[in-house]
């Protein structure tokens, strides 16, 4: 959560007041702070998924991937920029030999809705012919970007392509994605930031995931 110097002063006074009158202790104070809203650029956001829940879900996905691909050396393809924290934490939970590469795609361009127009900024040169490929995404909403990347990889003749996404908005999907096998959390069709996801390139550093306050 991003606080201004004035906010830090206010929190200090608030904590002193409540401690003085015995209303709550240190742990209660931080629980209270963690539920507060935060502002990024011109929009306000409130907590949706806490860092602890994200950590636990990633551990479970890592165990599943390790079991499913123990027979080979999979290639994990991280989709920048949004997936950089997810793939960094996920890969630490995978205990089998693997390779990692990245591509960079965009469809939001700083807004709160997908433009449905894909900007392909970074390609990768790795030969994936005959390889087991797992695409790592931060979020799947319309599914347009996922379909674009899957269609782009198929001519390279991988043995298989699967998609792993931290977040999924089922109600926003325009068409089914057969390759989507691993999902961290299903969420409502809301605009979210934090843990790699941004609004106007800000908010990626937040440990929790926040949803826009409407």
């Amino acid at each position: 959560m991003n606080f201004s110097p004035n906010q830090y002063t206010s929190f200090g006074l608030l904590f002193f007041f409540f401690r003085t009158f015995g209303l709550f202790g240190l742990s209660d104070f931080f629980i209270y702070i963690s539920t507060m809203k935060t502002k990024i650029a011109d929009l306000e956001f409130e907590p949706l998924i806490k860092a602890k829940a994200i950590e636990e879900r990633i551990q479970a996905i890592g165990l599943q991937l390790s079991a499913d691909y123990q027979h080979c050396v999979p290639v994990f393809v991280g989709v920048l920029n949004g997936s950089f924290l997810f793939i960094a934490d996920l890969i630490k939970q995978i205990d089998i030999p693997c390779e990692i590469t990245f591509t960079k795609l965009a469809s939001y361009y700083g807004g709160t809705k997908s433009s449905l127009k894909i900007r392909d900024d970074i390609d990768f040169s790795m030969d994936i012919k005959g390889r087991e490929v797992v695409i790592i995404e931060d979020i799947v909403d319309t599914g347009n970007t996922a379909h674009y990347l899957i269609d782009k990889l198929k001519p390279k003749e991988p043995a298989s392509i699967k998609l792993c996404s931290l977040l999924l908005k089922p109600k926003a999907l325009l068409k089914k994605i057969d390759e989507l096998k691993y999902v961290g959390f299903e969420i409502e069709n809301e605009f979210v930031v934090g843990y790699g996801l941004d609004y106007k390139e800000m908010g990626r550093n937040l440990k929790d995931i926040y949803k826009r306050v409407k």
Side-chain angles (χ1 to χ4, degrees):
M1 196 177 301
N2 300 324
F3 298 128
S4 68
N6 289 336
Q7 285 176 303
Y8 280 116
T9 301
S10 299
F11 294 147
L13 292 173
L14 180 66
F15 178 60
F16 174 78
F17 175 81
F18 279 100
R19 283 286 286 177
T20 300
F21 290 94
L23 297 180
F24 58 30
L26 183 61
S27 61
D28 299 310
F29 176 73
F30 283 111
I31 291 173
Y32 171 78
I33 292 300
S34 70
T35 61
M36 292 182 67
K37 298 172 183 176
T38 188
K39 190 170 185 180
I40 300 174
D42 57 333
L43 296 182
E44 195 171 38
F45 296 84
E46 60 187 2
L48 178 63
I49 306 173
K50 302 299 292 181
K52 183 63 176 177
I54 296 171
E55 178 185 355
E56 291 174 351
R57 189 70 188 104
I58 289 175
Q59 289 175 347
I61 296 172
L63 288 172
Q64 187 63 57
L65 285 166
S66 296
D68 290 350
Y69 290 92
Q70 59 183 317
H71 63 286
C72 65
V73 179
V75 177
F76 294 102
V77 180
V79 182
L80 300 174
N81 289 333
S83 74
F84 77 103
L85 284 180
F86 179 36
I87 193 171
D89 287 340
L90 178 63
I91 211 70
K92 289 183 286 187
Q93 303 300 324
I94 294 172
D95 58 8
I96 59 172
C98 61
E99 293 185 47
I100 307 167
T101 189
F102 295 91
T103 187
K104 185 175 180 181
L105 304 172
S107 65
Y108 272 78
Y109 309 117
T112 60
K113 292 183 179 180
S114 173
S115 67
L116 300 181
K117 296 180 180 178
I118 309 300
R119 190 181 69 214
D120 197 332
D121 290 341
I122 298 178
D123 199 358
F124 61 91
S125 57
M126 180 182 289
D127 182 8
I128 59 172
K129 184 174 182 179
R131 304 291 301 277
E132 308 278 353
V133 173
V134 182
I135 299 169
I136 308 297
E137 270 277 26
D138 55 342
I139 188 168
V140 172
D141 46 22
T142 66
N144 195 45
T145 301
H147 277 292
Y148 172 88
L149 182 54
I150 291 167
D151 289 344
K152 179 180 176 179
L153 295 182
K154 283 181 177 178
K156 298 179 182 289
E157 301 180 33
S160 71
I161 300 175
K162 298 299 180 185
L163 176 59
C164 171
S165 182
L166 177 62
L167 302 176
L168 170 65
K169 298 180 184 179
K171 293 181 181 178
L173 277 176
L174 297 179
K175 61 178 179 177
K176 184 181 178 183
I177 305 174
D178 293 329
E179 292 82 1
L180 181 57
K181 184 174 181 181
Y182 308 93
V183 175
F185 303 91
E186 290 189 3
I187 63 173
E188 294 298 318
N189 191 13
E190 299 173 305
F191 184 71
V192 291
V193 299
Y195 196 72
L197 294 101
D198 76 295
Y199 173 55
K200 295 185 175 180
E201 292 300 329
M202 292 180 284
R204 297 188 192 276
N205 58 311
L206 297 171
K207 295 179 181 179
D208 304 326
I209 293 175
Y210 292 74
K211 65 179 181 178
R212 180 183 177 182
V213 177
K214 297 180 180 179

